[in-house]
Amino acid sequence: MDQLLLDTIHRIESDWQVREVRLRREMDALRQEVAARDEAIANLTTSLAAWLDPAAPPQS
């Protein structure tokens, strides 16, 4: 009985470690996506501000 309990605990720990690694990878991917989105928003904001600036020379 004790060995069965130990085996079950080890299996559960192993499953959690696999899940943790997968979740960390997913979180890293989401962070990269958010960073790319934030950069795109910043670039668009800068472009829009320059386009709306009446003192700026016209751009072609």
Side-chain angles (χ1 to χ4, degrees):
M1 184 67 165
D2 289 337
Q3 187 60 43
L4 178 61
L5 181 59
L6 285 174
D7 290 345
T8 302
I9 290 171
H10 290 301
R11 183 182 49 79
I12 291 170
E13 288 176 340
S14 176
D15 290 348
W16 275 106
Q17 288 173 352
V18 168
R19 288 178 182 170
E20 182 180 12
V21 168
R22 186 183 70 238
L23 287 174
R24 287 183 188 272
R25 287 182 184 152
E26 289 176 12
M27 287 172 31
D28 288 342
L30 287 172
R31 282 189 187 105
Q32 290 175 357
E33 290 175 15
V34 167
R37 184 208 60 198
D38 289 348
E39 183 179 353
I41 289 171
N43 290 337
L44 286 171
T45 302
T46 301
S47 296
L48 182 60
W51 185 71
L52 293 175
D53 184 3
Q59 297 179 0
S60 48

